[in-house]
Amino acid sequence: MKTRFLAALAVSFSMLVACGDDNSSSANGDDEKELSSSSSEKSGDSENKSSSSNAKSSDSKDNSSSSKKEEKGEYKREFATAIASGETMFVGTMSLDHTDDIGTDYIEVGTRAGVVYYDNSLFIADLDVGTIARYSLDANNKIGSKTAELSLAGAWANHIYFVNEEKAYLGGMLDSLLIINPKTMKRTGAIDLSKYKNDDALVVSPGTGVIVDGRLYVGLLQNVSDYATGNTAQVAIIDIKKDSVIAVAEDDRVAAVGSLDDSQNQSFIVADGYIYCYSNASWGYAPGQVDGFLRIKVGETEFDKDYQWLVTKDVAIDGITKKDNFKYLSPATYANGTKVYAFLNVMVDLQQVWTDMDSYHNNTCKPVEIDLAKKTMKALPIDYSSSWASYGKYLDEDGTVIFAVSTEKDGNAYFRYDPKSEKAEKIAGIKQIPMWLVPLK
């Protein structure tokens, strides 16, 4: 899941500023013509609604129109998602009650994309071409027209941290945090981070981040190659009113914390008054790096010296993984107390390694429950998934957890896990490989 082209992505802050804002954003206009079937069907829906209202005087025509609406599947969609077909991704919205409809009215985005929901819109980053587009959603959360777009040619950037409807920060393989207006997708400023770049880093790369109590905490990844990040955990702490760096917390107990694939910013978990920061140690591409969790108390500017949890070193699960065998977690769900849910990739235990794109379809990722405070982890009764699907999980309001999986035993499917009964149930199957599960609320 880590395909990147870093040689083309090391875009300096000065180069970004040199690109005029007039050329970097677009609103409506020709953008709507470039959409897939989603916009054309949307206009078709309007025509049907118009003809339906004109025919209200006829009961038979009105009933016929209602039937057609039901056939069209005009139901409320609860999630945004990405699905994979071959090496191509498609992004759209979905309902778990209508999985047969998944894959229609979707936006094609190449091999890798980020998906964010905010202000009744989807923000879709097509990382192959370096664009982030805002798409409107209709009353049923069906994806609609493109309303604005920001182009960052050659830059892998998909981390958006929203301050309000007209201000957000954008991070990625950049030497700065861009400040943007999420309504227009225009750049309005930047926070230069180049002075924090390590000597051996190609780009400082602000990645996973979270805003808490007026401060943005964002991991600095310090990419040294197209896969390997820095050997040290670094978190820049930003004052969101002054757009200035308060401090950079640094700790050498684990490698760089956060991820560039984590558009939902779930490698940083806010729980129990702390921000738990996770390092995946470059997914194993940088031998010798240490993976695991550190934490920063909310409001403070240094890592908690009394807390560390080194996943590879400390975690052993009977029949799943041994201590000291390298493993890493996909980004976790948001916390229910101090518990989160994720996929634990145990390639080494299964005697597999990354070799090529096909490796991402290998079933090496085990759903797990994690208690961050107690430093415990247990395997769940769901089969191993491919890493393509290992970002799809959602903690529901009732405390159950939905996992999107691509397994050998159950195929491509959605499971619901109940922590109270400790049982998992397959609730739907689909043809495509499911990925993100982003709640539309």
Side-chain angles (χ1 to χ4, degrees):
M1 303 182 72
K2 294 51 154 198
T3 303
R4 302 195 190 95
F5 308 96
L6 190 59
L9 299 179
V11 180
S12 70
F13 171 58
S14 59
M15 288 175 65
L16 288 171
V17 173
C19 298
D21 282 339
D22 291 341
N23 294 327
S24 64
S25 301
S26 59
N28 294 331
D30 292 338
D31 291 335
E32 294 189 15
K33 298 177 182 178
E34 298 170 1
L35 291 180
S36 64
S37 60
S38 59
S39 67
S40 61
E41 289 196 11
K42 186 178 179 75
S43 63
D45 289 346
S46 300
E47 292 175 6
N48 288 336
K49 289 176 182 177
S50 175
S51 62
S52 174
S53 62
N54 291 337
K56 273 190 174 181
S57 58
S58 169
D59 290 338
S60 60
K61 290 182 180 179
D62 190 48
N63 290 336
S64 175
S65 175
S66 298
S67 298
K68 288 181 179 179
K69 283 187 176 182
E70 290 179 5
E71 290 174 3
K72 277 178 170 291
E74 293 186 5
Y75 48 82
K76 189 82 169 182
R77 291 156 168 81
E78 307 106 344
F79 299 98
T81 188
I83 56 176
S85 179
E87 306 305 341
T88 301
M89 285 181 57
F90 299 84
V91 177
T93 58
M94 62 166 283
S95 168
L96 287 171
D97 294 327
H98 298 271
T99 54
D100 288 345
D101 202 31
I102 293 177
T104 62
D105 308 309
Y106 272 39
I107 306 300
E108 184 175 345
V109 287
T111 60
R112 177 56 45 197
V115 186
V116 183
Y117 173 78
Y118 184 77
D119 190 25
N120 199 44
S121 296
L122 278 189
F123 296 79
I124 301 175
D126 188 333
L127 301 176
D128 286 352
V129 297
T131 61
I132 303 178
R134 176 172 179 156
Y135 290 87
S136 63
L137 300 179
D138 69 10
N140 293 317
N141 286 333
K142 185 176 179 180
I143 195 165
S145 61
K146 185 194 298 183
T147 60
E149 183 176 84
L150 172 64
S151 177
L152 296 170
W156 179 290
N158 68 336
H159 290 266
I160 308 178
Y161 330 99
F162 295 95
V163 177
N164 54 47
E165 293 181 357
E166 295 187 350
K167 180 182 178 181
Y169 298 101
L170 174 63
M173 279 188 167
L174 308 164
D175 283 330
S176 62
L177 270 174
L178 300 185
I179 306 171
I180 64 171
N181 183 326
K183 282 190 174 180
T184 63
M185 295 305 291
K186 289 183 178 293
R187 295 192 297 269
T188 60
I191 301 174
D192 187 1
L193 299 173
S194 59
K195 69 178 181 180
Y196 302 106
K197 183 164 61 176
N198 292 348
D199 291 341
D200 59 346
L202 297 177
V203 60
V204 69
S205 299
T208 304
V210 62
I211 294 177
V212 187
D213 293 346
R215 293 179 173 184
L216 168 64
Y217 299 77
V218 59
L220 304 183
L221 295 169
Q222 306 287 357
N223 281 91
V224 298
S225 73
D226 48 358
Y227 293 110
T229 56
N231 296 321
T232 301
Q234 291 179 311
V235 174
I237 303 169
I238 310 293
D239 185 319
I240 65 172
K241 289 185 178 179
K242 298 180 180 179
D243 295 329
S244 60
V245 179
I246 298 170
V248 175
E250 189 166 338
D251 199 304
D252 62 4
R253 287 176 290 174
V254 302
V257 291
S259 172
L260 287 174
D261 282 349
D262 181 19
S263 66
Q264 294 300 298
N265 292 304
Q266 293 177 335
S267 294
F268 283 16
I269 298 290
V270 182
D272 197 29
Y274 290 93
I275 301 163
Y276 290 84
C277 309
Y278 177 66
S279 169
N280 61 24
S282 302
W283 302 283
Y285 286 113
Q289 284 192 347
V290 179
D291 61 280
F293 288 93
L294 300 179
R295 70 184 186 185
I296 301 173
K297 191 173 183 63
V298 173
E300 296 188 357
T301 58
E302 295 182 355
F303 285 98
D304 180 357
K305 297 299 181 185
D306 296 324
Y307 179 91
Q308 68 176 34
W309 187 23
L310 309 181
V311 173
T312 289
K313 180 180 178 181
D314 297 337
V315 173
I317 304 174
D318 288 346
I320 303 296
T321 185
K322 299 177 181 179
K323 287 186 178 181
D324 294 321
N325 278 4
F326 177 75
K327 45 192 161 282
Y328 70 88
L329 293 159
S330 66
T333 62
Y334 296 106
N336 182 5
T338 57
K339 287 186 177 179
V340 296
Y341 296 85
F343 290 83
L344 183 66
N345 198 322
V346 291
M347 294 183 297
V348 173
D349 296 273
L350 299 175
Q351 299 182 339
Q352 298 181 26
V353 296
W354 296 122
T355 55
D356 52 32
M357 287 292 289
D358 286 339
S359 300
Y360 307 139
H361 298 291
N362 294 343
N363 305 119
T364 59
C365 299
K366 184 67 175 175
V368 292
E369 179 185 84
I370 301 163
D371 191 313
L372 294 168
K374 295 180 179 179
K375 305 178 187 176
T376 60
M377 186 183 303
K378 71 175 182 180
L380 301 182
I382 303 173
D383 201 19
Y384 289 92
S385 178
S386 77
S387 66
W388 270 111
S390 66
Y391 284 31
K393 59 266 175 193
Y394 167 67
L395 180 62
D396 213 340
E397 293 176 354
D398 62 1
T400 63
V401 189
I402 300 171
F403 286 90
V405 298
S406 178
T407 70
E408 184 176 352
K409 176 182 176 182
D410 297 294
N412 300 325
Y414 297 93
F415 276 76
R416 186 182 294 275
Y417 172 72
D418 185 349
K420 293 180 181 178
S421 67
E422 298 186 344
K423 294 182 178 179
E425 176 189 8
K426 182 178 178 179
I427 57 177
I430 64 169
K431 296 178 181 179
Q432 307 88 349
I433 298 175
M435 300 178 71
W436 293 107
L437 273 177
V438 181
L440 300 175
K441 59 183 179 180

